[in-house]
Amino acid sequence: MSPRLDAPHIQGATSAPTPADEADPLDELPEIPPYDEVGAVDARALSRTLFERLEALEEGTPEYSYVRNTLVELNLALVKFAASRFRSRSEPMEDIIQVGTIGLIKAIDRFELSRGVEFPTFAMPTIIGEIKRFFRDTSWSVRVPRRLQELRLDLARAGDELAQALDRAPTVAELAERLGLSHDEVVEGMSASNAYTAASLDAQAEENDTEGTLADRIGYEDHGLEGIEYVESLKPLIAELTPRDRTILSLRFVANMTQSEIGDELGISQMHVSRLLTRTLVRLRRGLTTED
């Protein structure tokens, strides 16, 4: 059996009500059975009795805390039931139950008997919502705005529905039409999905450990690095050329113009352009190969 609530199980709980020799104005309220007898009492009926008494008590008093904490203890089964739906997650079950208990406390504070709804029916959405909020805020490897987190869920749901209807994976345009979004918004949501989980660059491939780490598999040789030295070495050599020679180089190798087009642009013949270009290239080549 669970222990009596003589000692506080939740912060703010205090000892039981006033001594018997003092007049208690709450004597006419329904009596709370001892907590060690709860197992023999219908939980829903007892919860209703406790809520009736809670509404008559002043918030912040020891009696109010005692009744409120008793309700929490009595309905912890709701939290465990809700937490069981998330047992496949990586978070420890103790943490999920703790977060769900916060949702239970919020539900107790908001519940009103006058609504005519059973407390479990009222409390479960609040408990589950608190747990989902916990996963939404803490389980992403890379923090993204809540708008994108919710968009990821909408895309996943719409993708499953369209895949069943079309018997194939939906396109970006089909997802955008289904959700009433633009093409760019769908692409942004799909990109945000990559931030949910992350893999270490030092992780080994599970299927074949001989492939090396992820960093080894995604790396490649950048051949452009070889030309950086030549580019940096050419800059001072090109700066020494005449303005016309620099213009010819730019038109030929940047604008990708032919020698005839360059001649028409500068008002000279194609043969003259060829001679000037050849002389310039020889000068640059000699400058690169000559050591200081």
Side-chain angles (χ1 to χ4, degrees):
M1 291 293 182
S2 301
R4 294 173 59 91
L5 290 187
D6 296 333
H9 290 275
I10 297 176
Q11 185 177 4
T14 61
S15 58
T18 57
D21 55 350
E22 296 182 8
D24 189 349
L26 303 173
D27 286 341
E28 67 277 7
L29 295 174
E31 182 181 359
I32 303 176
Y35 194 72
D36 53 9
E37 298 178 9
V38 167
V41 181
D42 178 59
R44 294 196 177 188
L46 177 57
S47 292
R48 176 173 291 274
T49 300
L50 292 171
F51 276 115
E52 289 175 357
R53 184 160 187 176
L54 192 67
E55 290 182 354
L57 293 170
E58 181 181 354
E59 186 175 353
T61 62
E63 293 82 2
Y64 183 94
S65 298
Y66 177 81
V67 175
R68 182 171 178 261
N69 293 341
T70 304
L71 280 167
V72 173
E73 294 281 355
L74 182 62
N75 291 279
L76 278 178
L78 296 176
V79 176
K80 295 177 181 179
F81 175 78
S84 65
R85 297 177 52 181
F86 303 90
R87 62 167 61 93
S88 60
R89 300 296 188 96
S90 58
E91 296 293 332
M93 182 56 64
E94 293 80 4
D95 292 349
I96 300 177
I97 292 177
Q98 184 177 13
V99 173
T101 304
I102 296 175
L104 173 62
I105 295 173
K106 290 181 178 180
I108 291 174
D109 292 340
R110 298 170 184 169
F111 183 69
E112 297 176 2
L113 285 172
S114 58
R115 297 183 179 183
V117 179
E118 293 288 344
F119 178 69
T121 304
F122 175 84
M124 285 302 292
T126 304
I127 296 172
I128 294 176
E130 196 70 26
I131 295 175
K132 287 184 176 180
R133 187 178 299 108
F134 166 72
F135 283 115
R136 182 182 62 203
D137 295 340
T138 62
S139 59
W140 285 70
S141 298
V142 179
R143 180 69 175 174
V144 299
R146 180 170 297 180
R147 173 182 62 85
L148 294 179
Q149 295 178 14
E150 296 174 351
L151 178 57
R152 170 184 172 270
L153 297 177
D154 294 338
L155 286 173
R157 190 179 303 109
D160 292 340
E161 294 173 354
L162 288 174
Q164 292 180 0
L166 303 173
D167 198 23
R168 60 173 174 80
T171 63
V172 173
E174 291 169 340
L175 288 170
E177 182 180 0
R178 180 61 174 264
L179 297 175
L181 302 173
S182 66
H183 181 279
D184 293 339
E185 287 175 323
V186 172
V187 172
E188 184 182 19
M190 297 172 68
S191 300
S193 300
N194 298 328
Y196 189 76
T197 58
S200 171
L201 292 177
D202 297 326
Q204 294 284 341
E206 296 180 0
E207 64 277 5
N208 187 357
D209 291 342
T210 61
E211 292 186 2
T213 64
L214 178 61
D216 296 332
R217 299 196 301 275
I218 65 176
Y220 64 93
E221 183 178 356
D222 188 355
H223 299 286
L225 293 175
E226 184 178 352
I228 292 179
E229 182 180 355
Y230 295 115
V231 171
E232 294 301 319
S233 299
L234 276 173
K235 284 182 178 180
L237 298 177
I238 294 176
E240 296 175 356
L241 298 176
T242 63
R244 185 176 66 174
D245 289 342
R246 288 199 300 269
T247 301
I248 293 174
L249 277 179
S250 176
L251 294 176
R252 180 67 185 91
F253 297 104
V254 178
N256 201 26
M257 297 173 61
T258 64
Q259 293 181 3
S260 298
E261 292 171 338
I262 295 174
D264 295 339
E265 179 75 17
L266 300 180
I268 57 179
S269 66
Q270 182 266 332
M271 292 297 297
H272 193 188
V273 172
S274 177
R275 287 194 298 268
L276 292 174
L277 187 60
T278 300
R279 184 188 66 184
T280 301
L281 294 177
V282 170
R283 179 179 176 180
L284 295 176
R285 190 177 297 110
R286 186 182 300 114
L288 287 175
T289 56
T290 302
E291 295 184 359
D292 293 336

